[in-house]
Amino acid sequence: MTTIRQEDLIASIADALQYISYYHPVDYIQNLARAWEREESPAAKDAIAQILINSRMCAEGHRPICQDTGIVTVFLKVGMDVRWDASLSLDDMVNEGVRRAYNHPDNKLRASVLADPAGKRSNTRDNTPAVINVSLVPGGEVEVIVAAKGGGSEAKSKFVMLNPADSVVDWVLKTVPTMGAGWCPPGMLGIGIGGTAEKAMLLAKEALMEPIDIQDLVARGPSNRAEELRLELYEKVNALGIGAQGLGGLTTVLDVKVKDFPTHAANLPVAMIPNCAATRHAHFVLDGSGPATLDPPSLDDWPKLTYDASKGRRVHLDTVTREEAAGWQPGEVLLLSGKLLTGRDAAHKRMVDMLSRGESLPVDFNGRFIYYVGPVDPVRDEVVGPAGPTTATRMDKFTRTMLEKTGLLGMVGKAERGPAAIDAIREHRAVYLMAVGGAAYLVSKAIKAARVLAFADLGMEAIYEFEVRDMPVTVAVDSRGSSVHQTGPKEWQAKIGKIPVVVV
């Protein structure tokens, strides 16, 4: 009989969450570095380079890879010979570990979990509760997988109940392009097939916890239908040409994982969950000897890249005009300096509600740029913590009102814009710029000062004013409404030439 102490589980969970906040899995880094070496699309290659540079900076500085430090998912396999020296329930022990990790004074993580999700949506302030999955297994150990899943990639999760004769491959290839780039490719796809609806979703999430080994599978060949599907989907999804950050390129996924389970004769449930560029999970075992120890990776596992801030058109945000912005070309790299406002979901809803009531806003947006971001709190001498972009499409329904009513000149966010937002951008001669999702710490180094201007009660969703210097962005939608997230993937799908380009 093995005895596991309460404190050992709590400390191990907390340490693992801190660890994965700043260390990518080595298999991810190695495969991403290979993708960077192979990439032929300049925009995609630049995006991958930023992710790799950011990752190394986080490993060195012990700060979050992404400002979205995720919702915690924990998988526990508890041996039936285990007894607990504990006063808390298993769930409460896990949640205490989460609480400690997210409030760590040297590396505070962003609290993103909201209670009453269909009502007041109140932040729990410590990122609890975690989503916990427990199974009882033979033996005297507790196996633990801890993951922190970003909201942008989780939002792109898909499920379908196919007919038994339908093609899983066809559904995936039809569905992946509809996911846009808000899941921050290149990442992984977890595919769950079979069981019931909830079982398929769980299989897909579990699949994402496995190591990236698609090249080993290519070398040895498949031994079952699930592995055949992995190879076929890996080749065909990359042939879509979506590329890093949706800019068009050779690598959209680094791996595709497939887990299956027996299902009813009348059903073919299929779930697909993507993992983003901030792939974060750790595995450890408790055997009664004390808390788990996770060894840090070697910095030699990261390629030695540096970001060249001398390339790109320099833009002074304090003096930029609508006429100047009209000359920016889709795909062009800009380096922003000056005062940049921020605001995301909650701030936009509040502002649009105020405008609908005829009230004045607390901030003047005329001729200004707004950055869709919810930064991590600063520690030590930082002016702001990691501050990468959030998914821009969530602000699409507010865009026309903001452009019409405030004189806003441009927006900075992650991934593509939808048709309604692009129409509004074109009509108001505005622009949309894209920052790289998964490069939050790198972006934060371009922020030299930060202060809250309004809505302080919203926490990380408050309106800030950042003073930035040479913040790298890409022109994603120009003032004429041309979008690189539409043109780039089409161009690279045609260049790859394995899947016919459908002209709509």
Side-chain angles (χ1 to χ4, degrees):
M1 184 73 71
T2 303
T3 299
I4 307 293
R5 294 174 59 247
Q6 173 175 296
E7 179 59 23
D8 291 346
L9 177 60
I10 292 172
S12 298
I13 293 285
D15 289 347
L17 287 167
Q18 277 286 307
Y19 182 98
I20 64 177
S21 77
Y22 45 74
Y23 287 139
H24 265 123
V26 171
D27 59 286
Y28 178 83
I29 290 301
Q30 291 173 340
N31 282 273
L32 188 63
R34 293 190 191 106
W36 176 80
E37 291 170 354
R38 293 193 304 268
E39 188 56 69
E40 297 174 10
S41 161
K45 195 176 185 76
D46 179 77
I48 295 173
Q50 288 192 47
I51 295 169
L52 287 167
I53 294 164
N54 180 78
S55 178
R56 185 184 177 95
M57 289 172 62
C58 294
E60 293 173 329
H62 286 194
R63 291 295 273 146
I65 293 165
C66 181
Q67 80 288 338
D68 181 353
T69 50
I71 184 169
V72 176
T73 300
V74 179
F75 295 92
L76 293 156
K77 290 184 178 179
V78 180
M80 290 185 287
D81 294 333
V82 165
R83 68 176 297 275
W84 293 92
D85 178 8
S87 59
L88 297 177
S89 71
L90 190 56
D91 281 14
D92 287 344
M93 285 188 277
V94 169
N95 284 322
E96 178 56 27
V98 174
R99 190 173 292 113
R100 288 188 194 179
Y102 278 74
N103 287 315
H104 194 291
D106 291 330
N107 184 39
K108 188 172 176 62
L109 307 180
R110 196 183 82 182
S112 302
V113 172
L114 308 181
D116 191 12
K120 293 182 179 179
R121 295 180 66 83
S122 302
N123 198 301
T124 64
R125 302 294 180 184
D126 57 13
N127 227 54
T128 63
V131 178
I132 303 168
N133 302 278
V134 183
S135 57
L136 291 174
V137 298
E141 297 179 331
V142 178
E143 298 180 29
V144 185
I145 299 175
V146 177
K149 190 67 159 57
S153 61
E154 190 70 3
K156 303 300 182 180
S157 301
K158 304 294 181 183
F159 173 79
V160 67
M161 189 65 79
L162 296 177
N163 292 317
D166 291 339
S167 166
V168 172
V169 173
D170 288 350
W171 176 77
V172 171
L173 294 180
K174 178 181 70 176
T175 304
V176 168
T178 71
M179 290 160 47
W183 59 282
C184 283
M188 297 168 62
L189 292 179
I191 311 288
I193 304 173
T196 52
E198 78 280 7
K199 180 64 174 179
M201 293 299 289
L202 187 59
L203 289 169
K205 183 62 68 67
E206 288 179 309
L208 293 174
M209 304 299 111
E210 298 177 354
I212 297 173
D213 63 354
I214 194 72
Q215 299 307 325
D216 293 338
L217 179 57
V218 169
R220 69 171 170 82
S223 58
N224 53 48
R225 179 55 183 154
E227 291 184 344
E228 291 173 356
L229 278 171
R230 284 183 63 194
L231 290 174
E232 184 176 3
L233 288 170
Y234 173 74
E235 179 180 8
K236 290 183 176 179
V237 169
N238 281 326
L240 292 170
I242 294 167
Q245 303 292 298
L247 295 169
L250 299 178
T251 301
T252 302
V253 289
L254 299 174
D255 203 343
V256 177
K257 297 293 186 180
V258 176
K259 291 178 75 73
D260 60 21
F261 192 86
T263 193
H264 191 281
N267 301 147
L268 181 56
V270 184
M272 177 166 60
I273 304 179
N275 228 358
C276 63
T279 294
R280 293 171 294 215
H281 55 88
H283 306 229
F284 60 85
V285 175
L286 297 177
D287 59 7
S289 62
T293 300
L294 296 171
D295 295 325
S298 168
L299 290 177
D300 291 338
D301 292 320
W302 276 262
K304 293 176 173 60
L305 299 174
T306 57
Y307 193 76
D308 183 3
S310 66
K311 65 181 181 181
R313 185 200 297 244
R314 282 192 159 80
V315 172
H316 298 284
L317 294 170
D318 302 338
T319 58
V320 66
T321 64
R322 205 168 293 272
E323 289 70 29
E324 181 182 346
W328 300 344
Q329 301 302 310
E332 184 178 6
V333 174
L334 308 179
L335 299 171
L336 305 182
S337 295
K339 293 180 173 61
L340 177 65
L341 299 173
T342 80
R344 45 175 288 166
D345 310 63
H348 274 77
K349 185 178 187 309
R350 186 175 292 184
M351 287 190 290
V352 168
D353 287 346
M354 290 175 69
L355 290 169
S356 70
R357 295 191 297 265
E359 299 173 10
S360 297
L361 298 183
V363 177
D364 182 6
F365 288 91
N366 188 45
R368 305 288 297 274
F369 277 74
I370 190 168
Y371 181 28
Y372 302 148
V373 63
V376 175
D377 288 345
V379 298
R380 298 182 292 277
D381 60 347
E382 293 178 343
V383 300
V384 70
T390 197
T391 306
T393 49
R394 295 203 312 276
M395 267 51 74
D396 280 5
K397 64 181 179 181
F398 307 116
T399 297
R400 180 172 293 278
T401 299
M402 289 295 293
L403 294 177
E404 285 180 351
K405 302 292 187 181
T406 73
L408 185 70
L409 173 53
M411 299 144 284
V412 183
K414 180 182 78 175
E416 74 283 348
R417 304 308 299 264
I422 292 174
D423 287 345
I425 289 168
R426 181 180 62 253
E427 290 172 24
H428 291 86
R429 297 175 58 233
V431 291
Y432 167 62
L433 313 176
M434 189 210 79
V436 172
Y441 197 37
L442 175 64
V443 170
S444 73
K445 295 306 180 184
I447 302 169
K448 305 305 178 183
R451 63 187 180 115
V452 175
L453 294 187
F455 306 157
D457 62 297
L458 296 180
M460 62 93 175
E461 295 204 59
I463 296 178
Y464 289 77
E465 183 179 70
F466 289 165
E467 183 79 32
V468 300
R469 186 183 308 148
D470 289 342
M471 176 179 165
V473 295
T474 300
V475 180
V477 181
D478 69 5
S479 63
R480 295 169 294 280
S482 177
S483 168
V484 294
H485 288 98
Q486 295 174 354
T487 59
K490 286 182 181 179
E491 175 188 348
W492 282 92
Q493 184 175 331
K495 284 184 177 180
I496 295 168
K498 294 182 179 179
I499 296 177
V501 177
V502 177
V503 179
V504 180

